[in-house]
Amino acid sequence: MKITTFAAIDVGSYEVEMKIFELSSQKGMKEIDSIRRRIELGKDVYATGKVSVAKVEELCALLQDFVVIMEGYKVDAYRACATSAIREAESQLILVDYIEKQTGLKLEVLSNSEQRFLDYKCIASRENEFNKIIQKGTAIVDVGGGSVQISLFDKDSLVTTQNMRMGNLRIREKLADLQCSESHSEKLIEELINNELSSFEKLYLRDREIQNIIIVGDYISEIMEKPSVTRAEFMEIFNSISGCSPEEIAEKNEIPVESASLIMPSMVIYKRMVEEIGAETIWMPGLNLTDGLAFDYAQKKKILKFGHNFDNDIIASARNMAKRYMCSKAHIKTLEELALAIFDKTKKIHGLSARERLLLQIAVILHGCGKYVSLSNVAECSYSIIMATEIIGLSHSEREIIANVVKFNTMDFDYYDKLSSYTSINQREYLLIAKLTAILRIANALDRSHKQKFKNVKISLKEKELIILVETDEDITLEKGLLPEKAAFFEEVFSLEPVIRQKKKI
């Protein structure tokens, strides 16, 4: 039985953790070691935008210790990730480069949507409990040092995921200089978060029944007697620590005082979510980002098989976004079929992967969202909406690729010299944008009337032509007439000329 030893490192807002796992197809994921150290990076960043030199040196020394431990375990692979503290630091690139030079570790800075998707994956790794619980309306409430992520599921489908910049460390630091009692502090925390929660309720919870809440957060499991509690039991636990000082919470639950100082902000957030949502069951799987990193690695390396399709969650999130902006469902369905058929038929030419096929699909789903804002400036409005909206599971760069594909679907294409002058797009991303834009333009031209005239479309390659055989008795003069305008760029990118051939229905 082959066993892979994997190290997962999380450089968080208030502590740094490494877990060592043994991964095997027969025994699954087995945690064999865990090391945590308190380093409040977020305390500096949320106040000044920078990490102090002293904390950077402390972090490097700890990561060097981690490297020694990894060598002792003879790990086969590792993944080291940083979250909101490093992500929000003004000197992010300098920090990451310095850490790599000092420790040899390549530190990956996760976007918020990537971080939360990995948190979500670690929950979903508990397949039996997770699949059972999300059959009913479920909210995942993920409280970190810098922000809170709330994801809603309904009948096994991800409905929405939203981020609020009110994490436990950020809240604690905001209230640090206020001289007030513990009970008064709790009321102030509620005042800080109530407006955000009220807005979330109005936008996403209206007429939606949520029966379960899944809680993700550090140290919460230490103060709970069991991993699943009723609403009444949760409120009893909250009341038992309400008004207690961090020292009292620490002593009662045998956790560090520094960690206990974050318990109350987290618990107030959870309590308000329980009240706002009205859920009856609260589940605390006791997992965190390091578990998600290990599961993600095992899944991608096909060490572990999992029934849940995570790509479908990303697509579901995009579909709900399209619905919010009143995009044409029928038009999107037609374009998806056409664009993905073209992608699949030209795979040997473009050489793109399944992940890039997913990006094309999301670009198709969202290509018309800007019409909600302006019918005369759809491209720019669509770009702005996509860039301003997190899509769980996609990195910032992937979202930027999609936004540019959507923009250039109708606007003149900016070549690399111009595009790189006002974006951070690199050459690989630029080529991907060009290829996906070319495909989207052709698919969009084939349903220019939004009447879904084509049935049983078949795509084939013949010498230097992309033959689009369509079955229809309808007038397709418009589609044929406007195709050359879009075909020019497709031919430039792929050296293939798109040609429509009509087959009459019998």
Side-chain angles (χ1 to χ4, degrees), residues 99-227:
I99 289 167
E100 184 174 359
K101 295 295 187 295
Q102 294 299 308
T103 68
L105 286 175
K106 186 171 180 59
L107 187 64
E108 178 185 353
V109 181
L110 298 174
S111 68
N112 179 70
S113 56
E114 289 176 299
Q115 174 191 344
R116 305 306 182 167
F117 196 55
L118 287 165
D119 286 342
Y120 159 53
K121 273 193 167 185
C122 79
I123 301 167
S125 68
R126 297 280 182 88
E127 192 166 6
N128 292 335
E129 299 106 310
F130 178 73
N131 287 340
K132 181 180 178 181
I133 204 169
I134 63 170
Q135 295 306 311
K136 298 178 180 178
T138 300
I140 299 178
V141 183
D142 185 353
V143 176
S147 65
V148 177
Q149 192 84 14
I150 305 174
S151 304
L152 299 182
F153 284 82
D154 192 7
K155 295 178 181 176
D156 196 26
S157 178
L158 180 64
V159 176
T160 189
T161 181
Q162 297 295 322
N163 184 257
M164 305 176 197
R165 288 166 66 88
M166 54 178 194
N168 50 28
L169 180 59
R170 199 187 296 270
I171 288 173
R172 192 195 72 183
E173 293 308 302
K174 278 183 181 292
L175 302 181
D177 295 331
L178 303 181
Q179 302 296 322
C180 55
S181 66
E182 302 301 334
S183 58
H184 189 201
S185 178
E186 290 169 30
K187 291 180 181 178
L188 295 179
I189 293 170
E190 288 202 20
E191 284 188 32
L192 270 177
I193 66 178
N194 275 344
N195 183 57
E196 297 281 357
L197 291 181
S198 176
S199 298
F200 181 83
E201 190 274 334
K202 289 175 184 176
L203 289 170
Y204 302 106
L205 292 178
R206 185 168 293 174
D207 301 323
R208 193 176 296 283
E209 186 179 355
I210 304 295
Q211 297 185 21
N212 307 303
I213 292 182
I214 301 174
I215 285 177
V216 182
D218 292 320
Y219 300 108
I220 296 302
S221 57
E222 277 89 337
I223 67 172
M224 299 293 180
E225 296 179 357
K226 50 188 178 180

Side-chain angles (χ1 to χ4, degrees), residues 447 449-455 470-480 500 502-505:
D447 192 36
S449 65
H450 285 228
K451 289 185 176 181
Q452 297 80 54
K453 296 176 182 177
F454 299 163
K455 308 295 181 186
V470 300
E471 186 178 307
T472 183
D473 287 330
E474 296 196 43
D475 180 2
I476 60 170
T477 303
L478 182 67
E479 285 73 19
K480 280 188 171 182
I500 296 177
Q502 184 175 4
K503 179 183 178 183
K504 297 285 185 179
K505 286 186 180 179

Side-chain angles (χ1 to χ4, degrees), residues 483-499:
L483 182 64
E485 178 188 349
K486 301 294 185 180
F489 186 68
F490 186 93
E491 191 170 4
E492 181 181 348
V493 173
F494 297 117
S495 295
L496 288 172
E497 179 188 359
V499 178

Side-chain angles (χ1 to χ4, degrees), residues 49-81:
K50 297 181 180 180
V51 181
S52 68
V53 173
K55 279 197 171 70
V56 172
E57 293 304 325
E58 185 182 359
L59 173 61
C60 286
L62 176 59
L63 292 177
Q64 286 169 338
D65 290 342
F66 282 1
V67 170
V68 173
I69 295 169
M70 286 163 59
E71 289 171 350
Y73 277 105
K74 295 183 171 57
V75 300
D76 299 294
Y78 78 90
R79 189 174 177 189
C81 295

Side-chain angles (χ1 to χ4, degrees), residues 251-316:
E251 183 178 355
K252 183 184 290 187
N253 297 281
E254 298 181 349
I255 58 176
V257 174
E258 296 85 354
S259 302
S261 69
L262 300 173
I263 290 288
M264 190 47 69
S266 296
M267 285 298 286
V268 173
I269 293 169
Y270 294 136
K271 186 201 83 159
R272 287 294 297 116
M273 284 302 302
V274 169
E275 291 173 338
E276 202 75 44
I277 289 173
E280 289 301 324
T281 304
I282 296 93
W283 180 42
M284 295 146 289
L287 302 172
N288 59 23
L289 179 61
T290 50
D291 299 279
L293 291 170
F295 178 75
D296 185 63
Y297 176 84
Q299 186 194 30
K300 287 178 177 176
K301 293 297 181 180
K302 299 182 179 179
I303 298 170
L304 298 179
K305 292 182 180 179
F306 193 70
H308 190 79
N309 189 321
F310 292 100
D311 284 353
N312 285 346
D313 293 321
I314 301 173
I315 293 168

